[in-house]
Amino acid sequence: MDESDSGRRWWQGAVLYQLYVRSWRDTDADGYGDLDGVIAGLDYLSWLGVDGIWLSPTMPSPDQDWGYDVSDYLGVHPELGTMADLDRLIAEAGARGLRVLLDLVPNHTSSAHPWFIDAASGRDARHRDYYVWADPAPGGGPPNNWLDATGHSAWAWHQPTGQYYLHLFLDSQPDLNWHQPAVHEEFREILRFWFDRGVAGFRIDVAHGLYKDAELRDDPPATGSGPMAGRFGQRPAFSQNRPETHGVYRDWRKIAEGYLPPRLLLGETWVGDLGRLAGYYGHDDELQLAFNFPFVFAPFAARQLSDVVGTTLARLPAGACPVWTASNHDVGRFASRWCGGDERKVRLALLVLATLPGTTVLYYGDEIGMTDVMVPPELRRDAMSRDRASWDGSRDRARTPMQWNASRNGGFTAAGVMPWLPLGDTAACNVADQRRDPDSVLGLCRSLLALRRAELGGGITPYEIVPAAEGHWAYRVGGLLVAANLTDQPAVVPCPAGEVLLSTAAGEVGAELAAERVLGPWQGIIARYPPP
Ligand code: GLC
């Protein structure tokens, strides 16, 4: 069926896989993963059963923030490969039915981008207004109280031209000025350039950023605490989440829908309020998918998770597709944050992620239960989080190389090569060993994705909560009943159900499920609903 006519989109009911290119597979023995390494792993991804991949930044960059500081939006980072490699990757992925999303960084550029180099050359420079420049405050010092991602002033003094420039992240990441129409035109061209090359869409970095308050008013103090409350005690009311940003996505959506199949805009929408998150979908005319950080940061507990899911579904406009993810390169891995490395919990978390309605995004290594790796300070590579307790440890902890096999370098790079970040415990957790064992976490994940594709793929399945005791979470999704025991005690499945299609405990598939069926601690099942 013609996707544009049916209203169905390939990502609805799909599973995306976030692939951190530098840590996936190194084919040229320089210690960094590369595009050829991604190609080498496509058969594995197709075996696993994902529908698409999101590649961490692939564009040229001085790597102060590992690609999130772009110096050329129309190129490929030479350390990762060439444009021909990326074209081949898209073609090889397509041959396996896998779509490829790139990471687009529109909030800021690298200070090494030619636009910024020109902008910094003088107040009359052609690209001066591409960035946010301001005079000192009346009494001297930065123009306002905004803070960057390290907790320092978001303003850097530029002596040669006598003004400050804004950087909400590192000072080598100057923020673009979206009040300037030429910036819009540049990004329209960037979108078309990549869409024309067959890229299936973009994950949009700092999607809630872009526009800044035109009057540069001070951000107010934060009212809550925790990662969703703001930054370093401030609520970013004027530095982020400005209403004009929605116009950018309405514009981009038209461009994305002009292609066949329509291209996907998946926003990194770092907002704590689910109503505000819903706003990024617009009236089905802005982002098609918006990451849900309240879900990411919810504790692994039945009531809190089911509350976030229920509220999200209630707030999202009709037809909008929710997105569920639990790990990424910033927030760490769920196998550590939610599960403390407990395999029962890892299995249960995967079962939940695979059965929620909408789109699920797995992070590389989630499928084998990879945990965070405590990287010693002298080996850390992320400048933004290196010294900051506020990141809950260095972000490097979730960026360590993929553990393909039990060898010292985990099959990530050749023996004897120093990987860019140290590996975790490859003997305890690796793809090769788990692939041989159908009862492994990887075996379970693959079965879950196959079940999802068969039962929940191709659309946004209706979801309905089933009343359950404290600590237990049960829901009906499509023709399935999911029952999850998020406690240390055995639990009774809260309603009658049919055949068990899958259980997180090995050897339990296919049994008829009696009304009084008992789940072990941290066990989950997927059964048919309604019962016969
Ligand atoms: C996003 C990215 C993060 C990066 C930041 C600045 O949050 O996920 O890794 O440091 O934007 O681009």
Side-chain angles (χ1 to χ4, degrees), residues 65 68 108 169 203 205-206 268 329-330 384 395 399:
D65 188 17
Y68 287 105
H108 46 266
F169 293 89
R203 175 267 189 183
D205 189 65
V206 195
E268 185 208 18
H329 63 292
D330 297 326
M384 206 180 289
R395 297 190 297 179
R399 300 177 178 185

Side-chain angles (χ1 to χ4, degrees), residues 182-333:
V183 170
H184 293 243
E185 201 39 60
E186 298 279 8
F187 274 85
R188 285 185 197 112
E189 278 177 31
I190 293 164
L191 255 63
R192 291 194 191 99
F193 175 84
W194 291 108
F195 291 163
D196 286 345
R197 296 195 91 87
V199 164
F202 288 111
R203 175 267 189 183
I204 301 163
D205 189 65
V206 195
H208 54 289
L210 278 59
Y211 271 90
K212 315 289 151 32
D213 179 47
E215 295 169 42
L216 303 179
R217 283 169 285 184
D218 276 357
D219 276 334
T223 43
S225 58
M228 298 316 302
R231 276 177 154 190
F232 305 103
Q234 287 182 358
R235 186 165 59 84
F238 294 108
S239 56
Q240 299 176 22
N241 269 308
R242 302 305 298 159
E244 300 95 322
T245 304
H246 294 274
V248 177
Y249 300 131
R250 283 193 287 274
D251 183 34
W252 291 7
R253 177 69 175 267
K254 287 190 202 115
I255 296 174
E257 298 275 349
Y259 285 80
L260 203 63
R263 305 307 199 237
L264 170 59
L265 304 172
L266 160 60
E268 185 208 18
T269 38
W270 192 288
V271 295
D273 179 80
L274 290 167
R276 194 181 276 264
L277 177 70
Y280 281 96
Y281 291 82
H283 301 282
D284 194 17
D285 60 354
E286 297 188 27
L287 303 177
Q288 297 108 328
L289 296 177
F291 271 122
N292 187 327
F293 284 94
F295 180 81
V296 173
F297 289 115
F300 193 55
R303 189 168 44 79
Q304 285 90 335
L305 285 175
S306 76
D307 280 356
V308 176
V309 170
T311 309
T312 301
L313 296 174
R315 295 273 191 283
L316 253 48
C321 185
V323 190
W324 314 106
T325 193
S327 309
N328 73 27
H329 63 292
D330 297 326
V331 303
R333 296 181 174 279

